[in-house]
Amino acid sequence: MTFQDKVVYQIYPKSFQDTNHDGLGDIQGIIQHLDYLQKLGVDYIWMNPIFVSPQNDNGYDIQDYYSIDSRYGTMEDLELLISEAKKRNIYLMFDMVFNHTSTYHEWFQKALSGDQKYKDYYFFKKGKNDNPPTNWESKFGGNAWKYVEEFDEYYLHLFDETQADLNWKNPEVRKEMANIINFWIEKGIKGFRFDVINLIDKESFEDDFEGVGKRFYTDRPLVHTYLRELAQNSFGQYDDIITVGEMSATSIENCIGYTNPEHHELSMAFNFHHLKVDYKNKEKWTLMPFDFKELKQLLNDWQVGIQEGHGWNAVFWCCHDQPRVLSRFGDDKNYPKESAKMLATTIHMLRGTPYIYQGEEIGMTNAYFTDIHQYRDVESLNAYQILRDKGIPEDEIYQILLAKSRDNARTPMQWNDKPYAGFSDVESWIEPIYNYKDINVEKNLQDEDSVFYYYQKLIQLRKQYQVISLGTYEPVLLEHPTLYAYKRQYQDQEIIVYNHFYGDETTTIEVEASQYDILLSNVGRQTLENTIQLKPYESLVLIKK
Ligand code: TEU
Ligand code: CA
């Protein structure tokens, strides 16, 4: 199946639409808005995990891979969602969290009771001189090993201590994973996103004296072997299933390995390098204006590198783990519409499969929370404590959370100007953003010039012009200080895309006006001249006559 002309829409179920008055989004809520998604034009819905879970990490701590968490609904609800979506040519992509399970999972509980078969599903290890087995750090803060007194052993948790890492070396574990996928394929699921899947090969358990342990468990060679095996035993037997690996810190080389179709691993991968350009000294919990030059360099290097290796990437700005791009690389105060559209153009015209995160298509912003009690995310709450313990002043911590917290993306979807933004009619599990009366779906749908209709247009263009889905990529004006521009080519089609990333600097470009037409403009530009003065946050897509 060619999937290059498809677009994926990510739904964070907990914050999309509540229908049974408990302040939590649910499956019925997604069904309610399928017409909206069809209008937008997307092909797949990636849903964050909706399996039974204690919800310590919002469902990324799975207790049962075969059942739906009752907070979201029932298996019947899911079946209805699958069939209602299918009627609209929309298919579901499930989120498989296979690097770890919840410690409440039956397997882990059996392990804790001393059952050796299940202890081998995880990593239980002896400590070293009263210390944990290694000095690796958990991604959510603190050491990555948790002590279990009964065994005088520790188990590995790269994330929260209720998320125990699975031992993929054990063939039984790998069989379980394939079974889970096959179960969901039977139900009609047509896509899979694999959470932190480049971390599943852990070979040497050594102290890391240079970093926090990452190099001992990231992108190790067996990840490729395991993925090929998993494909063979499950999704690889079908030609209408797409897969995406989440690979935060992977390399171009490895990403080609994972996604070149000849390797039979995955359809595509996410990487997050371009979303670390506002990290001071590579540290997330810091404040720094984003580095445009670095952003452009990274996007370009990945475009060129993946293309050369015949791999394929997911292209995106937003997800449930990232602050809103409009507040981050755009200007949500002075140029909200222009910059939202410019950022959308940048992504949707690149080589790769675009992912839209709920609310991005209506110009949702960061949350601008001012009190720690408004935050819900385990990572943010831990970071708050850690930064306090480091002696960082309270107001600086708030500035950092404001810019970096994952909760920026997890607030309720803004449907209309009614209380709780139309997400629920009772208090929502996390507060809606203060600006929901101005920024919401209803308003977007009434305004021809809205961010929504611009996204709709971008999706339509992808279906209409193969140069967008299949064309080659080549940078243009790479050294330009405020522009990210590139050319795409396919057979006799050619487009050039100019994206101006600044609001306060003017930029002049030279084009061959007689050779090109305007395919898309985010500022209503109608005619072409040889010299063009680009407006703040302008995007201009030209197509060769
Ligand atoms: O995220 C993996 C991941 O790379 C995170 O550590 C990411 O760097 C962090 O959220 C950014 O601050 C995935 C899921 O998307 C995330 O929601 C889960 O918490 C995590 O895995 C554990 O399953
Ligand atoms: Ca609900």
PDB file of all heavy atoms in Angstrom, residues 17-26 71, ligand 2:
ATOM      1  N   GLN A  17     -13.178  14.639  24.004  1.00  0.00           N
ATOM      2  CA  GLN A  17     -14.598  14.934  24.237  1.00  0.00           C
ATOM      3  C   GLN A  17     -15.155  13.993  25.292  1.00  0.00           C
ATOM      4  O   GLN A  17     -15.059  12.777  25.146  1.00  0.00           O
ATOM      5  CB  GLN A  17     -15.401  14.777  22.940  1.00  0.00           C
ATOM      6  CG  GLN A  17     -16.894  15.005  23.108  1.00  0.00           C
ATOM      7  CD  GLN A  17     -17.244  16.474  23.325  1.00  0.00           C
ATOM      8  OE1 GLN A  17     -17.008  17.293  22.449  1.00  0.00           O
ATOM      9  NE2 GLN A  17     -17.764  16.806  24.506  1.00  0.00           N
ATOM     10  N   ASP A  18     -15.738  14.581  26.314  1.00  0.00           N
ATOM     11  CA  ASP A  18     -16.408  13.789  27.354  1.00  0.00           C
ATOM     12  C   ASP A  18     -17.890  13.691  27.002  1.00  0.00           C
ATOM     13  O   ASP A  18     -18.522  14.694  26.672  1.00  0.00           O
ATOM     14  CB  ASP A  18     -16.226  14.496  28.708  1.00  0.00           C
ATOM     15  CG  ASP A  18     -17.011  13.821  29.823  1.00  0.00           C
ATOM     16  OD1 ASP A  18     -17.241  12.602  29.727  1.00  0.00           O
ATOM     17  OD2 ASP A  18     -17.363  14.524  30.794  1.00  0.00           O
ATOM     18  N   THR A  19     -18.454  12.477  27.077  1.00  0.00           N
ATOM     19  CA  THR A  19     -19.891  12.351  26.792  1.00  0.00           C
ATOM     20  C   THR A  19     -20.691  11.840  27.983  1.00  0.00           C
ATOM     21  O   THR A  19     -21.913  11.885  27.964  1.00  0.00           O
ATOM     22  CB  THR A  19     -20.151  11.369  25.617  1.00  0.00           C
ATOM     23  OG1 THR A  19     -19.610  10.090  25.952  1.00  0.00           O
ATOM     24  CG2 THR A  19     -19.540  11.866  24.329  1.00  0.00           C
ATOM     25  N   ASN A  20     -20.017  11.324  29.027  1.00  0.00           N
ATOM     26  CA  ASN A  20     -20.802  10.749  30.136  1.00  0.00           C
ATOM     27  C   ASN A  20     -20.584  11.500  31.448  1.00  0.00           C
ATOM     28  O   ASN A  20     -20.699  10.926  32.523  1.00  0.00           O
ATOM     29  CB  ASN A  20     -20.520   9.254  30.284  1.00  0.00           C
ATOM     30  CG  ASN A  20     -19.076   9.006  30.675  1.00  0.00           C
ATOM     31  OD1 ASN A  20     -18.224   9.887  30.511  1.00  0.00           O
ATOM     32  ND2 ASN A  20     -18.794   7.835  31.216  1.00  0.00           N
ATOM     33  N   HIS A  21     -20.257  12.768  31.325  1.00  0.00           N
ATOM     34  CA  HIS A  21     -20.244  13.690  32.471  1.00  0.00           C
ATOM     35  C   HIS A  21     -19.313  13.269  33.601  1.00  0.00           C
ATOM     36  O   HIS A  21     -19.683  13.370  34.764  1.00  0.00           O
ATOM     37  CB  HIS A  21     -21.669  13.873  33.029  1.00  0.00           C
ATOM     38  CG  HIS A  21     -22.743  13.789  31.982  1.00  0.00           C
ATOM     39  ND1 HIS A  21     -22.937  14.805  31.070  1.00  0.00           N
ATOM     40  CD2 HIS A  21     -23.629  12.807  31.680  1.00  0.00           C
ATOM     41  CE1 HIS A  21     -23.915  14.443  30.249  1.00  0.00           C
ATOM     42  NE2 HIS A  21     -24.342  13.240  30.586  1.00  0.00           N
ATOM     43  N   ASP A  22     -18.118  12.780  33.267  1.00  0.00           N
ATOM     44  CA  ASP A  22     -17.159  12.512  34.341  1.00  0.00           C
ATOM     45  C   ASP A  22     -15.892  13.363  34.177  1.00  0.00           C
ATOM     46  O   ASP A  22     -14.921  13.166  34.896  1.00  0.00           O
ATOM     47  CB  ASP A  22     -16.808  11.011  34.414  1.00  0.00           C
ATOM     48  CG  ASP A  22     -16.150  10.508  33.144  1.00  0.00           C
ATOM     49  OD1 ASP A  22     -15.990  11.310  32.195  1.00  0.00           O
ATOM     50  OD2 ASP A  22     -15.792   9.317  33.091  1.00  0.00           O
ATOM     51  N   GLY A  23     -15.930  14.283  33.212  1.00  0.00           N
ATOM     52  CA  GLY A  23     -14.791  15.186  33.061  1.00  0.00           C
ATOM     53  C   GLY A  23     -13.605  14.577  32.339  1.00  0.00           C
ATOM     54  O   GLY A  23     -12.551  15.204  32.217  1.00  0.00           O
ATOM     55  N   LEU A  24     -13.793  13.326  31.860  1.00  0.00           N
ATOM     56  CA  LEU A  24     -12.728  12.634  31.120  1.00  0.00           C
ATOM     57  C   LEU A  24     -13.225  12.344  29.713  1.00  0.00           C
ATOM     58  O   LEU A  24     -14.360  11.860  29.550  1.00  0.00           O
ATOM     59  CB  LEU A  24     -12.420  11.281  31.776  1.00  0.00           C
ATOM     60  CG  LEU A  24     -11.756  11.247  33.137  1.00  0.00           C
ATOM     61  CD1 LEU A  24     -11.787   9.821  33.677  1.00  0.00           C
ATOM     62  CD2 LEU A  24     -10.311  11.709  33.019  1.00  0.00           C
ATOM     63  N   GLY A  25     -12.398  12.551  28.740  1.00  0.00           N
ATOM     64  CA  GLY A  25     -12.777  12.227  27.373  1.00  0.00           C
ATOM     65  C   GLY A  25     -13.018  10.736  27.216  1.00  0.00           C
ATOM     66  O   GLY A  25     -12.522   9.938  28.011  1.00  0.00           O
ATOM     67  N   ASP A  26     -13.778  10.349  26.194  1.00  0.00           N
ATOM     68  CA  ASP A  26     -14.087   8.928  26.026  1.00  0.00           C
ATOM     69  C   ASP A  26     -14.266   8.560  24.549  1.00  0.00           C
ATOM     70  O   ASP A  26     -14.252   9.443  23.678  1.00  0.00           O
ATOM     71  CB  ASP A  26     -15.332   8.554  26.846  1.00  0.00           C
ATOM     72  CG  ASP A  26     -16.404   9.622  26.764  1.00  0.00           C
ATOM     73  OD1 ASP A  26     -16.813   9.934  25.629  1.00  0.00           O
ATOM     74  OD2 ASP A  26     -16.808  10.182  27.814  1.00  0.00           O
ATOM     75  N   ARG A  71     -12.879   3.823  31.915  1.00  0.00           N
ATOM     76  CA  ARG A  71     -13.008   5.283  31.865  1.00  0.00           C
ATOM     77  C   ARG A  71     -13.244   5.777  30.438  1.00  0.00           C
ATOM     78  O   ARG A  71     -13.844   6.816  30.220  1.00  0.00           O
ATOM     79  CB  ARG A  71     -11.742   5.950  32.408  1.00  0.00           C
ATOM     80  CG  ARG A  71     -11.692   5.990  33.926  1.00  0.00           C
ATOM     81  CD  ARG A  71     -10.311   6.356  34.412  1.00  0.00           C
ATOM     82  NE  ARG A  71      -9.506   5.138  34.522  1.00  0.00           N
ATOM     83  CZ  ARG A  71      -8.576   4.927  35.438  1.00  0.00           C
ATOM     84  NH1 ARG A  71      -8.309   5.853  36.328  1.00  0.00           N
ATOM     85  NH2 ARG A  71      -7.894   3.801  35.471  1.00  0.00           N
TER      86      ARG A  71
HETATM   87 CA    CA B   2     -16.165  10.526  30.002  1.00  0.00          CA
END
